[in-house]
Amino acid sequence: MPIRYRALRALLANSSVALSVVGVLLLATIWWGTFMFAEFESEAATRATRASTVELAETYEAQVARTLREIGHALRLVRHAVAQQQALGRGVGAPVLPALEANELLPPSLLFTIARTDEHGAVIESTRPLPDTSVAGMDFFEQQRDYDSPVVGMPWRDPATGGSLLPFSYRVSAADGAFAGIAVVLVDPEFFVASFDQARIGTHGRIGLLGADGFCRILRQGGASSSGSQVDIERLARSAETPATIEWDGARGYLSARPLYDFPLFVVVGLSEADGLAAAGAANGSHIRRALFGSALVLLVLGALGRVGWTMQRARTRAAEEQAAHAARVEHLAFHDSLTELPNRAYFTRFLTQTIALSKRNGRQFGVFLLDLDRFKVINDTLGHGAGDELLREISSRLKSVLRESDFVARIGGDEFVILVPETTAERQLSRVAERILEATSRPVSLPGSEVRVTVSIGIALFPDDGGDHEALLKHADVAMYHAKAEGKNNYQFYSEKLNEHSLGRLALEADLASALNNNEFVVHYQARVDARSNQIVGAEALVRWNRPGVGLVPPLEFIPVAEETGQIVEIGKWVLREACRQCVAWHQEGFPGLRMSVNLSARQFSDRVLLDDLQSALQQSRMPPELLELEITESMLMRDAEQAKRVLGAVRGLGARTALDDFGTGYSSLSTLKHFPFDVIKIDAAFVRGALADQQDRSLTDAVIAVGHALGLRVVAEGVESAEHAQFLRARRCDELQGYFFNRPLPADEFAALLRGWQADAPASAASVQPIRRTGRAGKIK
Amino acid sequence: MGRCAVMVVLAVALLARPAFAVGAEFVVIVAVHSPVTVLASNEVADIYLGRLRRLPDGRTVLPVDRFESDGVQEAFYREILQRNAAQLRAHWSRLVFTGRGKPPRQVRSDAELVEFVARNPHAIGYVAPALVTPSVRVVRIDP
């Protein structure tokens, strides 16, 4: 992983505090900003409200001023018309309005009513009927008596319509200057505020006309209009340019009053801050909503980051735990045997080294036991690996059960166990331990399908007497163990120097044997099989010999059992099979067609799964006619697993080869079981043949065997024919083929070839001439 | 087919509308020499509400109204202007106060109105059908 990702991950994982701080800062910023903005907006709204107040006041002033100018103009026209009438010598009462109206010199009659009174207040003429026929006693009329300047009266209620009329009057003078009545324009005061609805002035805003006397002529607030209320005009007079701040029903507002010039009036405009702020408030609401949204977003993102960090942290912790568990598991696996859960060789070696070091310091002694299961390979081969494993588990648990806690048991090889018995000095004590082990392991073990009895061989070495380091101790325990095996197994032996020498010989043999195959040290010798009637050599039996460097030919009995134990026998057997086939085909080509070749199979080979493959490849490589190849197995191999044997034999015959039962009569099988197995040939054991001449019982048995063999349709071969008498006897019993030193001892290939050629020239004479050199039992064969 | 039926029904509904049957009846009149023969109802309303000062042919138009309120005026206001007198006054108050218009000229009687229209080729007015004289012509009002 790139460093920056790792750094990011570390940051995420370790920064819940940092995230919180960042979150708080962000939120604080958002809200501080929002409130600052709101404050700013609010101030702006206040400023805007004040500005709007001024602006509206100016606009309103202009509009009212224009209207008042028109009204003034109309009144002046009326006054002028009256003056003209008087100049023409007509009375003050002569009507002037119709002419003015006809010439459209008066304000629109739809909205404005123009009237004129005489000096007593009686209405002389009007463009529209008035509520009353006299205005005497009304404020504007009475004022106008005394003042020449224009007057604006209080609204005049019109009971007929329910509306009211606002009078704007001028004084009309007679030619002599005496008061001659008034000219008045009456207009519904609503006319001045009709254009200002709530949308323009707000709910709390006010607009209207205020008389210089301090009384409102018309004041619209919200949707309603009123008049008559009194206002401190002095104070308002100062608010023309800068609106006054006023409290209306607890709400702050800004009021501006501007004086007008045609009539003693002020326009009054007031806007409420609440209305001004409503827009700002709405904006604030949206700001707050935005801030809330932003906050939620920040919290969400930080929460997500926090969660990711937390998950990562947890994953990391879990990974660390898993790693630790894995390490422990690996450690356990590295130092324990997975099958039995016992410590393994590595663990044991370490422990032994430590114990040696400790014991050296403390001057203590201890014993090392090396255990090997007897016959374990056989069990493994015949019952299968599963059973073998089960057996090993059972044995290891039995070992643990008979040992002390302080004793250290380990499995260091396939069927090898080692036990370290610490702080022990007396051999007697160790012997008791060994006996307990022997007793415990020799009890029958129940395995799936069968019950087996295994024994162990134990070799014991002592520290420090038998070795000062772990290699020496183990080696010497091994030597003692082999000695125990040599002593017939199921016993224990203490190491001694003498044992060591013997065992070294065996170890050397094993070592040499291991490389013998690669070094081409094996040779095959051949012994002839002679047809009993024709006296012709019809076949040969292949017999392996080991040409051990520096020693010479090693008798089969000395190395075959070792090869069986180490398992090398399988490879050796395979080689013999191929070599025998190759040689046989060579002889066929040299002029001995039809020569049979017989090869022994070992127990291990026979149970080996690849036997058939090996057989097939040997036949193919050598181009050996299968029907000329004969495989020999012993009775004991049949008995280990009858079904398996039957199957393998059948398969061998399926390939075209022949099968022979070797050493017949020495095993435990009854004659009757023979018929269950697919054999072509039986070979009577040499022991019977040798005894046949002297021993009546052996003779009878030989008779019986030959008879049974024939009865079952098998070819009967007698081994161990050492003399002409033997041959004579067996021919008389109609034995089919003969084999033995009487004809020839096992010979190297070239010598056997010579024999073949000589035999061909003069068979019977040659048979007599080839005398056995030794008379000691049969030749070694692979078993 | 269906569409035709719908249109027929609509036409019948429109024709059957009691536009001039409720209350007093009125007719819109112009001078007999005026080229105006037909006006849309909303054109008449716009003329009386100050929104239309020239006819589509470019001629200025001079609406005349009555001073006194009577059934004919109420009917005209209701049917054509779709306002009552107070609403009309408020409407004109706003226009006049802000200097954006001038209300129709008002006359004192139907006779005066007819006479004014007869004399003035730009004028337009309304009266009860019975008061129509040969010097004025009734304008067809399309709904």
Side-chain angles (χ1 to χ4, degrees):
Chain A
M1 180 186 295
I3 285 169
R4 57 205 171 98
Y5 290 145
R6 196 191 310 225
L8 178 66
R9 223 168 65 153
L11 185 72
L12 284 174
N14 293 328
S15 59
S16 55
V17 174
L19 279 179
S20 306
V21 169
V22 167
V24 167
L25 282 177
L26 271 174
L27 289 179
T29 307
I30 285 173
W31 286 101
W32 181 78
T34 301
F35 285 119
M36 286 302 284
F37 206 66
E39 186 74 20
F40 175 77
E41 295 258 304
S42 172
E43 277 174 19
T46 301
R47 276 199 304 276
T49 307
R50 293 169 75 104
S52 298
T53 306
V54 173
E55 192 187 333
L56 186 58
E58 283 171 352
T59 308
Y60 190 48
E61 179 193 8
Q63 289 170 338
V64 173
R66 184 168 47 72
T67 305
L68 294 186
R69 210 158 46 239
E70 282 178 18
I71 291 171
H73 182 67
L75 290 173
R76 282 192 296 277
L77 271 177
V78 171
R79 212 161 53 173
H80 175 68
V82 171
Q84 275 189 327
Q85 291 284 345
Q86 287 180 314
L88 291 173
R90 294 180 190 153
V92 160
V96 294
L97 294 181
L100 289 174
E101 193 176 26
N103 289 298
E104 293 190 70
L105 293 168
L106 299 180
S109 55
L110 178 68
L111 302 171
F112 298 89
T113 304
I114 297 94
R116 198 158 68 85
T117 69
D118 62 13
E119 68 272 27
H120 305 294
V123 178
I124 302 168
E125 56 177 342
S126 74
T127 55
R128 190 187 284 267
L130 294 179
D132 205 342
T133 53
S134 171
V135 296
M138 298 195 73
D139 58 340
F140 61 94
F141 179 75
E142 297 306 327
Q143 278 181 44
Q144 204 70 75
R145 270 184 203 278
D146 305 329
Y147 303 110
D148 191 27
S149 50
V151 170
V152 182
M154 290 303 287
W156 183 9
R157 294 255 163 233
D158 180 355
T161 62
S164 54
L165 296 167
L166 188 63
F168 294 84
S169 67
Y170 266 32
R171 179 187 173 117
V172 177
S173 302
D176 56 2
F179 177 64
I182 61 167
V184 62
V185 170
L186 294 140
V187 59
D188 188 341
E190 288 288 335
F191 170 79
F192 292 97
V193 293
S195 301
F196 301 92
D197 52 7
Q198 286 189 37
R200 278 192 81 182
I201 59 170
T203 314
H204 302 96
R206 285 132 210 252
I207 196 160
L209 300 178
L210 177 67
D213 52 11
F215 291 95
C216 278
R217 295 300 191 270
I218 178 72
L219 188 67
R220 168 161 284 207
Q221 179 190 347
S225 302
S226 65
S227 61
S229 55
Q230 198 173 5
V231 176
D232 177 4
I233 207 75
E234 288 301 311
R235 189 169 155 231
L236 279 182
R238 295 192 297 270
S239 66
E241 296 303 325
T242 308
T245 305
I246 287 191
E247 289 285 330
W248 279 323
D249 314 326
R252 199 159 53 153
Y254 304 97
L255 195 71
S256 180
R258 289 161 169 267
L260 295 157
Y261 298 100
D262 287 307
F263 290 91
L265 281 175
F266 288 83
V267 292
V268 182
V269 171
L271 291 181
S272 164
E273 193 174 74
D275 291 326
L277 286 178
N284 277 347
S286 86
H287 290 321
I288 287 173
R289 271 196 301 280
R290 232 172 287 163
L292 280 173
F293 177 73
S295 303
L297 201 67
V298 164
L299 288 177
L300 207 68
V301 166
L302 291 182
L305 282 177
R307 194 177 154 70
V308 166
W310 181 70
T311 310
M312 275 181 163
Q313 175 81 49
R314 217 175 48 158
R316 225 160 43 145
T317 309
R318 204 163 42 216
E321 281 168 4
E322 272 170 15
Q323 213 169 10
H326 180 69
R329 214 157 46 232
V330 167
E331 166 102 0
H332 185 83
L333 284 177
F335 289 106
H336 288 83
D337 166 44
S338 60
L339 180 64
T340 60
E341 290 296 321
L342 287 177
N344 62 11
R345 181 184 279 275
Y347 191 177
F348 175 75
T349 304
R350 203 168 62 167
F351 184 76
L352 181 57
T353 309
Q354 285 168 357
T355 308
I356 287 169
L358 206 66
S359 301
K360 266 182 186 160
R361 224 179 7 258
N362 299 339
R364 298 252 170 82
Q365 291 189 317
F366 63 86
V368 175
F369 286 43
L370 191 70
L371 281 75
D372 190 275
L373 297 191
D374 304 323
R375 292 184 61 228
F376 177 72
K377 287 185 176 66
V378 175
I379 289 168
N380 224 4
D381 289 345
T382 53
L383 296 179
H385 294 295
D389 290 348
E390 190 55 45
L391 177 65
L392 286 171
R393 274 197 289 269
E394 174 61 24
I395 293 298
S396 60
S397 80
R398 285 186 190 182
L399 285 178
K400 277 186 275 189
S401 72
V402 297
L403 292 170
R404 297 173 301 177
E405 277 293 309
S406 56
D407 298 337
F408 185 93
V409 195
R411 178 170 172 238
I412 60 169
D415 60 344
E416 275 188 330
F417 294 87
V418 71
I419 300 165
L420 199 154
V421 184
E423 299 186 19
T424 307
T425 50
E427 281 199 9
R428 213 154 46 95
Q429 229 177 327
L430 293 173
S431 297
R432 270 209 301 280
V433 173
E435 275 156 18
R436 277 211 307 275
I437 292 170
L438 290 176
E439 191 276 325
T441 52
S442 62
R443 288 197 310 264
V445 178
S446 288
L447 296 176
S450 59
E451 193 180 74
V452 298
R453 197 182 286 270
V454 289
T455 54
V456 295
S457 300
I458 308 173
I460 306 170
L462 293 174
F463 175 87
D465 298 347
D466 298 335
D469 58 59
H470 78 274
E471 278 177 24
L473 276 173
L474 270 185
K475 196 174 84 183
H476 292 162
D478 192 45
V479 168
M481 192 270 289
Y482 271 112
H483 184 54
K485 287 225 187 249
E487 288 295 311
K489 305 176 176 171
N490 197 20
N491 71 94
Y492 64 91
Q493 296 291 329
F494 284 92
Y495 171 77
S496 71
E497 284 294 329
K498 209 183 109 200
L499 279 185
N500 197 15
E501 285 163 20
H502 177 81
S503 182
L504 277 177
R506 147 106 196 202
L507 287 172
L509 183 82
E510 264 185 40
D512 287 353
L513 192 59
S515 56
L517 200 56
N518 283 340
N519 294 344
N520 236 346
E521 289 165 13
F522 291 107
V523 290
V524 181
H525 286 191
Y526 301 91
Q527 189 172 39
R529 271 178 37 186
V530 178
D531 186 275
R533 269 168 298 186
S534 67
N535 209 30
Q536 292 291 319
I537 295 179
V538 294
E541 181 177 357
L543 298 157
V544 68
R545 296 289 183 272
W546 179 22
N547 194 359
R548 190 181 177 191
V551 178
L553 278 185
V554 179
L557 276 175
E558 281 184 34
F559 75 89
I560 293 297
V562 176
E564 280 270 9
E565 271 188 45
T566 60
Q568 280 172 293
I569 195 71
V570 174
E571 286 301 312
I572 295 171
K574 201 196 297 186
W575 177 81
V576 170
L577 181 62
R578 280 207 306 270
E579 176 59 18
C581 288
R582 187 198 62 76
Q583 184 60 67
C584 189
V585 170
W587 283 330
H588 289 165
Q589 289 164 352
E590 280 173 34
F592 307 101
L595 188 73
R596 295 180 186 285
M597 183 57 69
S598 180
V599 180
N600 294 282
L601 289 183
S602 74
R604 280 211 164 195
Q605 258 182 302
F606 192 63
S607 56
D608 198 77
R609 274 167 221 183
V610 295
L611 169 68
L612 292 171
D613 293 340
D614 291 344
L615 182 58
Q616 208 164 10
S617 77
L619 287 170
Q620 276 168 3
Q621 279 178 12
S622 63
R623 302 193 184 168
M624 173 84 175
E627 67 277 8
L628 297 182
L629 179 66
E630 189 177 288
L631 295 180
E632 298 184 15
I633 67 163
T634 63
E635 256 186 299
S636 59
M637 284 153 64
L638 288 187
M639 295 308 131
R640 279 181 191 155
D641 185 342
E643 286 308 310
Q644 156 89 356
K646 221 183 272 183
R647 208 161 49 241
V648 174
L649 289 173
V652 168
R653 292 225 304 197
L655 289 172
R658 305 207 307 173
T659 52
L661 181 58
D662 201 8
D663 296 350
F664 186 73
T666 57
Y668 317 96
S669 56
S670 69
L671 287 170
S672 62
T673 59
L674 261 182
K675 68 177 182 198
H676 297 303
F677 294 98
F679 282 115
D680 302 295
V681 176
I682 54 171
K683 297 182 83 173
I684 303 166
D685 192 70
F688 290 104
V689 176
R690 275 199 301 275
L693 293 181
D695 190 306
Q696 176 56 44
Q697 208 176 354
D698 279 355
R699 195 156 55 229
S700 307
L701 272 172
T702 308
D703 276 351
V705 168
I706 294 168
V708 167
H710 284 154
L712 292 171
L714 303 174
R715 199 166 169 82
V716 181
V717 179
E719 287 184 289
V721 179
E722 295 177 354
S723 65
E725 286 80 19
H726 286 147
Q728 188 74 41
F729 168 78
L730 291 164
R731 277 198 190 99
R733 262 71 188 174
R734 306 183 66 82
C735 188
D736 298 304
E737 285 177 38
L738 308 174
Q739 178 183 348
Y741 281 11
F742 173 62
F743 301 104
N744 73 311
R745 62 184 171 83
L747 294 170
D750 53 342
E751 290 180 37
F752 189 79
L755 177 71
L756 281 176
R757 283 192 288 273
W759 199 285
Q760 237 178 359
D762 182 6
S766 155
S769 69
V770 180
Q771 289 299 316
I773 296 161
R774 289 193 310 179
R775 299 179 67 90
T776 53
R778 48 189 279 268
K781 291 190 292 192
I782 295 172
K783 300 249 168 158
Chain B
M1 181 65 202
R3 247 176 85 179
C4 287
V6 168
M7 285 173 76
V8 167
V9 167
L10 270 177
V12 168
L14 287 171
L15 290 173
R17 202 163 66 122
F20 311 108
V22 174
E25 290 197 355
F26 63 86
V27 289
V28 175
I29 53 170
V30 292
V32 83
H33 304 296
S34 170
V36 175
T37 56
V38 60
L39 284 171
S41 174
N42 62 335
E43 278 178 321
V44 177
D46 285 349
I47 289 165
Y48 272 85
L49 292 172
R51 293 171 188 149
L52 193 67
R53 284 171 205 167
R54 284 172 189 276
L55 290 174
D57 62 6
R59 294 149 46 82
T60 50
V61 64
L62 192 63
V64 190
D65 201 353
R66 284 271 312 276
F67 255 116
E68 269 73 39
S69 178
D70 62 5
V72 173
Q73 189 184 54
E74 276 175 24
F76 179 76
Y77 284 3
R78 186 177 62 245
E79 300 296 338
I80 302 297
L81 308 188
Q82 293 170 358
R83 281 169 168 76
N84 61 31
Q87 285 170 333
L88 188 69
R89 279 239 295 274
H91 169 79
W92 278 113
S93 287
R94 286 194 284 273
L95 290 189
V96 171
F97 181 74
T98 53
R100 284 181 288 155
K102 194 177 162 192
R105 179 192 188 90
Q106 288 185 310
V107 293
R108 294 212 139 62
S109 67
D110 288 329
E112 197 181 331
L113 190 144
V114 171
E115 192 201 328
F116 181 85
V117 171
R119 273 193 287 113
N120 197 327
H122 299 297
I124 181 171
Y126 63 94
V127 286
L131 299 177
V132 173
T133 65
S135 57
V136 295
R137 186 158 45 78
V138 173
V139 176
R140 203 178 89 227
I141 301 299
D142 284 350

